Amino acid sequence: MLQSVTKVKIHETRRVGILLAFVGGFLDVHTYLLRGGVFANAQTGNMVLLMLQISEGQWMKALYYIVPIIAFFSGVVVTEFVKLHERWHEYVLIIEIGLLFLIGFYPVTFPAMIVNITISFICAMQISSFRKLRGAAYATTVCTGNLRSAAEQLTLFYIRRDEEAKKKCLNYFIIIFSFSLGALIGALLIKCLEIYAIWICCFILIVVVVLLLREN
């Protein structure tokens, strides 16, 4: 008797995860090289720096860090409303594409805070929308959790010879590599294309939208 195989949803497939992780790494290097030397994808550092500025009584500098935190929070809230629609994954990506396309027109002299809070908003939407890779939790805009999960699954495979753990470990390493590759390619392209390099992310996200639409 043939065993039934559960079909993986397109938004949980490896190819979608690879493309989104590539964009995540690309965005991180964009904000670091062109928008004030910060990483806008995750907010842990901003929270620490916020408290540091408050402890020193630097209230205006504290505002610089609280704004992207609020933007990230808002991105998650907006995503929950978008989820009310049937094809919400595609809508999230379309919003990302539109915002990134606009950022490509902002010169490096444009206030970095505005660009960084926009990218924080974008990353919040992406990380809230694409949370599983073949049923396992992962992230496409940060690597810390993926690195922990990869180590965990590798250890489980070593101890128990669990083939499923080996597959999950491989998936995590592929996502980590894709994120790192996005950062590397982003850094190289920024040298010659500068702010316009971010439009590469738009193209990649359009590819993801096409994949989702073809599946449906």
Side-chain angles (χ1 to χ4, degrees):
M1 178 183 293
L2 293 174
Q3 293 183 342
S4 61
V5 178
T6 303
K7 185 178 181 181
V8 178
K9 297 178 181 178
I10 183 64
H11 61 270
E12 294 186 15
T13 58
R14 186 185 293 171
R15 61 182 179 272
V16 167
I18 288 172
L19 293 173
L20 294 178
F22 184 94
V23 169
F26 203 114
L27 293 180
D28 241 3
V29 80
H30 174 88
T31 58
Y32 184 81
L33 293 179
L34 296 179
R35 308 296 181 175
V38 300
F39 298 112
N41 290 16
Q43 300 306 313
T44 304
N46 285 333
M47 291 182 181
V48 172
L49 292 170
L50 170 63
M51 293 301 108
L52 178 62
Q53 296 301 331
I54 290 176
S55 71
E56 296 177 351
Q58 301 291 333
W59 303 107
M60 292 306 297
K61 289 183 178 179
L63 181 64
Y64 182 86
Y65 296 104
I66 198 172
V67 172
I69 295 172
I70 294 173
F72 190 94
F73 186 92
S74 301
V76 176
V77 172
V78 170
T79 301
E80 292 304 311
F81 280 103
V82 177
K83 286 181 180 179
L84 298 175
H85 299 276
E86 182 179 357
R87 309 188 81 157
W88 62 273
H89 284 100
E90 290 92 325
Y91 291 148
V92 165
L93 291 172
I94 290 170
I95 293 172
E96 286 190 48
I97 293 166
L99 292 175
L100 290 175
F101 183 72
L102 291 176
I103 288 174
F105 288 106
Y106 297 160
V108 290
T109 55
F110 194 79
M113 177 183 283
I114 296 177
V115 176
N116 290 334
I117 63 175
T118 303
I119 290 181
S120 294
F121 181 87
I122 289 169
C123 290
M125 296 193 74
Q126 183 167 306
I127 203 171
S128 298
S129 302
F130 299 88
R131 303 169 66 173
K132 290 187 176 182
L133 179 65
R134 293 180 173 268
Y138 84 125
T140 60
T141 61
V142 290
C143 271
T144 305
N146 295 333
L147 192 61
R148 178 199 62 79
S149 297
E152 180 182 64
Q153 296 302 319
L154 181 62
T155 305
L156 288 176
F157 171 68
Y158 178 78
I159 295 174
R160 304 175 184 174
R161 294 302 179 206
D162 185 341
E163 290 298 318
E164 186 62 27
K166 182 174 73 171
K167 292 178 182 177
K168 289 181 179 179
C169 178
L170 177 61
N171 284 335
Y172 283 120
F173 276 126
I174 288 173
I175 295 301
I176 292 168
F177 175 78
S178 300
F179 183 94
S180 303
L181 184 63
L184 174 62
I185 299 299
L188 294 174
L189 290 178
I190 285 171
K191 290 181 180 179
C192 55
L193 299 177
E194 296 184 338
I195 58 173
Y196 306 113
I198 203 167
W199 287 340
I200 301 297
C201 294
C202 295
F203 173 76
I204 294 173
L205 293 176
I206 289 171
V207 172
V208 178
V209 171
V210 171
L211 289 174
L212 297 182
L213 292 175
R214 286 179 60 185
E215 180 74 9
N216 296 325

